[in-house]
Amino acid sequence: MNLKDKGLGPLLGHVSQLSRACMDSRVSRYGVTPVQAHVLLYLNCKGGQAPQNELTGLRRVKPSTMNGVLDRLEEKGFVRRSVSGSDARCRLVTLTEKGAEQQALFQRSYLDVEQTMVRGFSPEEQAQLTALLERIIHNLEEDRNP
């Protein structure tokens, strides 16, 4: 049976699985896990710094799990942790110069996968696909938060 005969959900799930596998395999070449790569990319998007509890919430993991992720990133010299000046209970995670260089490589890898995903699409088709996926996201978020 063809995937598209099973419905939109399985089709989107299959696309998600394939794209994640492609991205994860590219990032693993740099000696980091996908979670570590996502943390570095997120820190870059946040101006190079974020509270540790924000990262924990973002990844939806236990604080102890995020501690392990950050321990590995610190060992590699990609991040450093410090205590917030305004709240001693809050730890700040800061992207180092080495971490910023690494995340730029990850970003390039992700863009390469995105180019592969839309190979053969016209600019109009890409825009239409993006708009349709945004509508699906909006619909699902609206349904989740009635």
Side-chain angles (χ1 to χ4, degrees):
M1 177 175 265
N2 193 329
L3 266 178
K4 68 181 179 183
D5 295 336
K6 292 183 180 181
L8 184 59
L11 189 60
L12 288 171
H14 191 67
V15 168
S16 175
Q17 181 184 25
L18 286 173
S19 65
R20 173 164 280 156
C22 286
M23 290 180 183
D24 291 353
S25 71
R26 287 175 187 246
V27 166
S28 69
R29 297 176 195 165
Y30 301 105
V32 296
T33 66
V35 171
Q36 291 170 344
H38 289 126
V39 167
L40 295 177
L41 289 165
Y42 183 78
L43 288 171
N44 186 65
C45 289
K46 296 295 280 186
Q49 189 175 72
Q52 184 168 331
N53 61 355
E54 187 176 312
L55 296 169
T56 302
L58 170 76
R59 296 304 309 165
R60 296 183 185 146
V61 296
K62 294 178 185 177
S64 59
T65 301
M66 183 52 66
N67 265 330
V69 170
L70 294 173
D71 286 346
R72 300 300 89 68
L73 289 172
E74 264 188 321
E75 289 168 6
K76 294 173 184 181
F78 296 157
V79 301
R80 69 175 174 278
R81 287 182 273 191
S82 61
V83 176
S84 169
S86 60
D87 184 354
R89 297 170 295 168
C90 180
R91 301 212 47 186
L92 294 176
V93 181
T94 304
L95 192 62
T96 64
E97 188 175 324
K98 184 177 179 182
E101 291 168 1
Q102 281 296 111
Q103 78 75 37
L105 295 173
F106 307 150
Q107 187 68 35
R108 182 73 246 155
S109 291
Y110 289 156
L111 291 174
D112 290 344
V113 172
E114 284 187 19
Q115 289 299 314
T116 299
M117 287 192 286
V118 296
R119 184 175 40 232
F121 283 43
S122 70
E124 295 79 18
E125 289 172 323
Q126 290 180 41
Q128 184 178 21
L129 177 61
T130 299
L132 292 170
L133 291 172
E134 287 172 347
R135 281 178 48 197
I136 290 172
I137 291 167
H138 172 79
N139 291 344
L140 292 172
E141 286 177 344
E142 194 174 68
D143 186 63
R144 184 177 67 182
N145 301 316

